[in-house]
Amino acid sequence: MGMDATLPGFGMAAILVEQRSPLVIDEVGLPTALDVGQVLVRLYYSGICGSQIGEIDGVKGPDRHLPHLLGHEGSATVLEVGPGVSTVQVGDLVVLHWRQGKGIEAVPPVYDCSGRSVNAGWVTTFNEFAVVSENRCTTVPPDTDRQLAALFGCAVTTGFGVVENNARVRAGESVVVYGSGGVGLSIVQAAAMHGARVIIGVDLHPARLDLAAEMGATHLIDGGDDGVEERLADILGDGGADVFVDNTGLPWVVEMGCRLTSTKGRVVMVGVPNSGDQVSLSPLPLYFGKELTGSHGGEAEPSSDIPRLMGLLNVGALELDSLISAVLPLVDINDAIRSIRSGELAGRCLLAFDEG
């Protein structure tokens, strides 16, 4: 299907050209036609997730797809749909997400930058205009706050998915959240809403701990202090933690979680370790009820979870405004990433595109 001549042929984007280097802000040309299952959207807001910083840093190893676009949570409006698309239509306000939802998983697009091909996955959000797969779009009501909508692409759905699907938190349980960034803060809030009795937020940055308290943490620990494990053990008591969530990807934190959880405790790994990292632990407790599991976006189901969780937002049960620490233009993305790394930005940083 050819593109309507009135639609944009190009837009600004942040491109990962080289790992461990700043993103390059440049104009990229859009594909001239949409393939089966592809959707052209215009971005309003995009979150910056730790996963993108991990891609920049190469935590999973060498990147075979450079140069390519990034970003996996955002809010946008649909400008055009390709053949076979049935779940969204032109004019819809959509949440963009990296977990698969309803619809077709399309061939990823290829953009052009000064004659050089720029790759992309099934969804990208660090670009003004994006061609995404139908199953990475979920329609939301047109009056939905566009800034808050972007958070449902990853931070909110992952946080609740970790609590509900991976950790299976029940009322009265104790939860340790090690690493209290955007996803960690959502995990804290979800644990509180599910009735956790003790919620311990651990982080290196005081501002993140302050936000964790706002989100429902009952105890706060500076991860840079000596004796963190001893302090956790004192709070948890002889029984240990029911749930320990690691958002750092650091092997020693996972090992600590295995030591601190109860006999039938659950350790959930959300943070992605560096390629080649090893975790050392005794497997025997796993035979008697202790669980160690990785999380893939909390195993969230965007098509059903986004409307469900937005319902909580609409009745005032979900607090997201304080989760947004900054809203910056795309041209400031590298400064934003530096501020996230340093802990200056405690919660989510959103990239803002012209709302038109």
Side-chain angles (χ1 to χ4, degrees):
M1 179 183 292
M3 300 282 274
D4 188 322
T6 63
L7 295 173
F10 56 85
M12 299 304 295
I15 309 168
L16 178 60
V17 175
E18 182 179 357
Q19 289 178 302
R20 292 173 289 279
S21 297
L23 301 181
V24 174
I25 312 298
D26 207 342
E27 190 175 87
V28 297
L30 301 174
T32 57
L34 293 180
D35 207 329
V36 173
Q38 289 183 336
V39 178
L40 174 66
V41 300
R42 179 186 187 283
L43 268 292
Y44 294 122
Y45 295 95
S46 169
I48 302 175
C49 183
S51 295
Q52 283 88 61
I53 296 176
E55 287 185 79
I56 294 167
D57 292 346
V59 298
K60 295 181 180 180
D63 193 328
R64 299 180 291 106
H65 304 288
L66 297 175
H68 65 77
L69 303 185
L70 294 167
H72 68 207
E73 68 171 9
S75 60
T77 192
V78 175
L79 298 182
E80 186 168 333
V81 299
V85 173
S86 60
T87 64
V88 299
Q89 59 187 2
V90 173
D92 281 352
L93 178 64
V94 294
V95 172
L96 302 179
H97 43 80
W98 65 274
R99 290 277 300 168
Q100 294 177 340
K102 291 182 179 178
I104 299 168
E105 181 155 282
V107 175
V110 177
Y111 299 84
D112 173 82
C113 183
S114 301
R116 184 182 185 185
S117 294
V118 177
N119 297 308
W122 294 292
V123 61
T124 59
T125 59
F126 290 0
N127 39 325
E128 187 179 7
F129 300 97
V131 174
V132 302
S133 286
E134 179 187 13
N135 67 354
R136 264 61 175 192
C137 306
T138 295
T139 301
V140 295
D143 60 348
T144 302
D145 184 292
R146 294 170 178 177
Q147 289 190 12
L148 300 183
L151 301 177
F152 287 84
C154 177
V156 175
T157 48
T158 297
F160 275 80
V162 167
V163 167
E164 296 172 346
N165 302 325
N166 300 131
R168 307 182 308 281
V169 172
R170 294 172 295 178
E173 291 193 315
S174 56
V175 180
V176 177
V177 182
Y178 211 107
S180 301
V183 170
L185 291 167
S186 291
I187 293 170
V188 167
Q189 183 166 195
M193 292 179 66
H194 281 75
R197 171 181 54 86
V198 172
I199 304 171
I200 308 174
V202 185
D203 204 275
L204 295 172
H205 306 292
R208 290 180 180 173
L209 293 176
D210 290 342
L211 270 180
E214 287 186 39
M215 295 294 178
T218 60
H219 300 76
L220 307 172
I221 295 179
D222 185 336
D225 289 348
D226 293 333
V228 171
E229 184 167 352
E230 289 75 12
R231 291 192 61 195
L232 284 167
D234 286 344
I235 296 168
L236 294 166
D238 293 338
D242 295 300
V243 173
F244 187 105
V245 181
D246 170 51
N247 296 309
T248 70
L250 297 170
W252 63 268
V253 175
V254 176
E255 294 165 2
M256 181 194 304
C258 290
R259 290 191 297 269
L260 286 171
T261 41
S262 66
T263 303
K264 296 188 182 297
R266 288 88 73 195
V267 180
V268 183
M269 299 182 296
V270 179
V272 178
N274 287 316
S275 177
D277 280 354
Q278 301 290 320
V279 173
S280 177
L281 55 89
S282 170
L284 191 60
L286 302 179
Y287 290 87
F288 296 97
K290 193 185 291 278
E291 296 180 16
L292 172 63
T293 183
S295 176
H296 194 247
E299 290 23 79
E301 298 288 346
S303 300
S304 57
D305 287 343
I306 289 174
R308 176 175 66 89
L309 296 173
M310 277 198 170
L312 294 175
L313 178 69
N314 293 337
V315 298
L318 190 60
E319 206 294 296
L320 295 181
D321 288 302
S322 59
L323 192 60
I324 300 173
S325 293
V327 181
L328 301 171
L330 180 68
V331 294
D332 290 340
I333 188 169
N334 289 309
D335 290 334
I337 289 171
R338 281 190 288 271
S339 295
I340 294 169
R341 291 183 191 277
S342 70
E344 179 184 342
L345 294 180
R348 259 312 193 245
C349 174
L350 294 183
L351 301 174
F353 301 86
D354 183 11
E355 291 206 33

